[in-house]
């Protein structure tokens, strides 16, 4: 899909506030509500715009620890990778996972209520997975920037 200037404006505005009404969005981007609605639907159908969510404040719900866990698999056979990746959907503590180049196979962002609960998760879930060979954890001291908005 070729994105026009108005499409990029719509994306930018919706990334800031996904709760805007069609009229509110149209007003912010300088288009008619009907035109805006058609463009939003086209962006959704093309997969440019994904689901609409409300972001929770992790600290407000007791998730005060953020850990970046680097993992190495025992091998890179398809069944090993598939077994590990199946684990991802089973544990809501894992909020992000990236396959990596370099020394580690994956980096996970994991949230926990405290260090003890993370340690239990690491020992009882991640390290017991037969696909996992090694793990290294880095604890975030504080968050300096967090955004889900992409630069458009």
């Amino acid at each position: 899909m070729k994105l026009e200037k108005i499409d990029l404006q719509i994306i930018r505005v919706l990334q800031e506030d996904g709760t805007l009404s069609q009229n509110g969005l149209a007003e912010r981007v300088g288009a008619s509500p009907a035109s805006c609605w058609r463009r939003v639907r086209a962006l959704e159908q093309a997969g440019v715009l994904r689901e609409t969510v409300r972001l929770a404040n992790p600290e407000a719900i007791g998730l005060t620890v953020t850990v970046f866990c680097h993992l190495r698999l025992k091998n890179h056979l398809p069944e090993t990778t598939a077994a590990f990746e199946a684990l991802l959907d089973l544990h809501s503590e894992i909020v992000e996972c990236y396959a990596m180049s370099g020394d580690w196979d994956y980096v996970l962002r994991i949230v926990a209520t405290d260090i003890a609960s993370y340690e239990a998760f690491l020992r009882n879930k991640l390290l017991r997975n037969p696909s996992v060979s090694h793990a290294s954890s880095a604890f975030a001291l504080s968050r300096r920037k967090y955004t889900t908005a992409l630069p458009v």
Side-chain angles (χ1 to χ4, degrees):
M1 175 178 190
K2 182 172 174 12
L3 298 176
E4 297 179 20
K5 183 179 176 183
I6 187 73
D7 298 318
L8 295 174
Q9 288 178 297
I10 289 170
I11 294 166
R12 196 174 299 113
V13 169
L14 286 176
Q15 287 186 119
E16 292 170 6
D17 185 357
T19 67
L20 282 173
S21 67
Q22 286 299 326
N23 288 338
L25 177 60
E27 186 177 302
R28 295 264 311 265
V29 300
S32 73
S35 169
C36 224
W37 182 84
R38 282 191 303 275
R39 287 184 178 275
V40 168
R41 293 294 166 256
L43 291 167
E44 289 172 342
Q45 290 172 350
V48 175
L49 289 178
R50 295 177 32 194
E51 60 275 356
T52 301
V53 299
R54 295 293 303 250
L55 300 176
N57 177 345
E59 292 83 11
I61 58 174
L63 298 170
T64 59
V65 174
T66 298
V67 184
F68 294 92
C69 180
H70 296 82
L71 288 176
R72 188 172 297 125
L73 298 184
K74 288 185 178 175
N75 58 56
H76 295 100
L77 296 172
E79 57 271 17
T80 303
T81 301
F84 171 73
E85 291 182 356
L87 171 87
L88 300 174
D89 291 333
L90 298 176
H91 300 290
S92 60
E93 300 93 329
I94 303 170
V95 294
E96 291 183 78
C97 175
Y98 297 91
M100 303 297 290
S101 64
D103 292 336
W104 296 99
D105 295 318
Y106 294 92
V107 64
L108 311 176
R109 184 168 70 92
I110 299 170
V111 294
T113 56
D114 54 33
I115 292 174
S117 67
Y118 172 70
E119 180 183 16
F121 177 74
L122 177 67
R123 288 181 186 268
N124 299 325
K125 304 295 182 193
L126 288 180
L127 294 178
R128 287 198 181 178
N129 184 288
S131 302
V132 175
S133 171
H134 293 81
S136 175
S137 302
F139 292 83
L141 300 176
S142 63
R143 180 172 46 209
R144 299 292 191 229
K145 179 180 180 178
Y146 175 76
T147 183
T148 59
L150 299 173
V152 291

